[in-house]
Amino acid sequence: MSQISKIGVIGAGNMGSGIAQKIAQEGIQVVMVDMTDEFVERGMDTITKILSRNVDKGKMSEDDKHAVLERIKPSSGLNDMAAADFVVEAAIEKEDIKFQIFRDLDEICEANAILATNTSSIPIGRIAARTTRPEKVIGMHFMNPVPVMKLVEVIRGIATSEETFKVTWDLAEKFGKTPAKAED
């Protein structure tokens, strides 16, 4: 698999904004999408406040804060996921919503893009079945608060390929996380 250079995050709530922030802090371009501009703005406000606190505490410079924010593209259009090599879905824990997101991502994203879900309760195989690429669907369950907590569960669905698992595991490590293999 080619180098992952652009990541999409679906959801701008606590989990989604935390995931987007952490990815951007690691120097990677990220598109953060939610249903409305209001939700996306709220997510960006949350990220900005957290980064500002880090500046106040001397944990990062003002320039670093601005660099992180510039790596996050806020959007209310799912079509902006088209350029993503890897997408992490962190929408509300409702099957019908997640299933529709994955059906849409399957059509929007390039065939080689990996589609990950942050779900903690819906089987990965059930989500993967909504796509034409079940081998490229995986669970990537972050712990809250994402920028602080180290653990990320990497959850293989029944059809998830070894390559998809390896790319996801390596990404978790690149994000400064401690990946742990979990069963679906």
Side-chain angles (χ1 to χ4, degrees), residues 76-126:
S76 59
L78 199 58
N79 285 335
D80 284 338
M81 291 293 126
D85 307 306
F86 192 98
V87 178
V88 180
E89 169 275 321
I92 191 166
E93 281 293 298
K94 290 190 177 179
E95 269 193 0
D96 57 333
I97 292 173
K98 288 187 186 290
F99 291 170
Q100 187 60 55
I101 288 169
F102 276 81
R103 279 191 289 270
D104 293 344
L105 288 173
D106 193 42
E107 291 180 15
I108 293 167
C109 296
E110 293 290 328
N112 64 340
I114 293 173
L115 307 179
T117 178
N118 188 57
T119 188
S120 59
S121 62
I122 302 168
I124 307 307
R126 285 179 52 84

Side-chain angles (χ1 to χ4, degrees), residues 33-117:
V33 172
D34 210 318
M35 295 173 6
T36 68
D37 289 337
E38 180 188 343
F39 291 161
V40 176
E41 287 170 25
R42 199 175 310 152
M44 289 302 296
D45 287 346
T46 298
I47 294 168
T48 302
K49 286 176 189 166
I50 291 168
L51 295 175
S52 293
R53 265 185 269 159
N54 288 341
V55 170
D56 292 345
K57 292 177 181 178
K59 293 181 178 179
M60 76 179 354
S61 70
E62 190 70 31
D63 287 345
D64 288 342
K65 169 187 152 185
H66 288 294
V68 169
L69 290 171
E70 288 197 8
R71 283 191 283 273
I72 303 171
K73 177 186 177 190
S75 171
S76 59
L78 199 58
N79 285 335
D80 284 338
M81 291 293 126
D85 307 306
F86 192 98
V87 178
V88 180
E89 169 275 321
I92 191 166
E93 281 293 298
K94 290 190 177 179
E95 269 193 0
D96 57 333
I97 292 173
K98 288 187 186 290
F99 291 170
Q100 187 60 55
I101 288 169
F102 276 81
R103 279 191 289 270
D104 293 344
L105 288 173
D106 193 42
E107 291 180 15
I108 293 167
C109 296
E110 293 290 328
N112 64 340
I114 293 173
L115 307 179
T117 178

Side-chain angles (χ1 to χ4, degrees), residues 140-143 150-154 172 177-181:
M140 190 174 199
H141 182 226
F142 292 82
M143 303 299 142
K150 288 285 194 192
L151 184 66
V152 172
E153 292 175 317
V154 180
K177 299 297 184 183
T178 302
K181 184 177 177 183

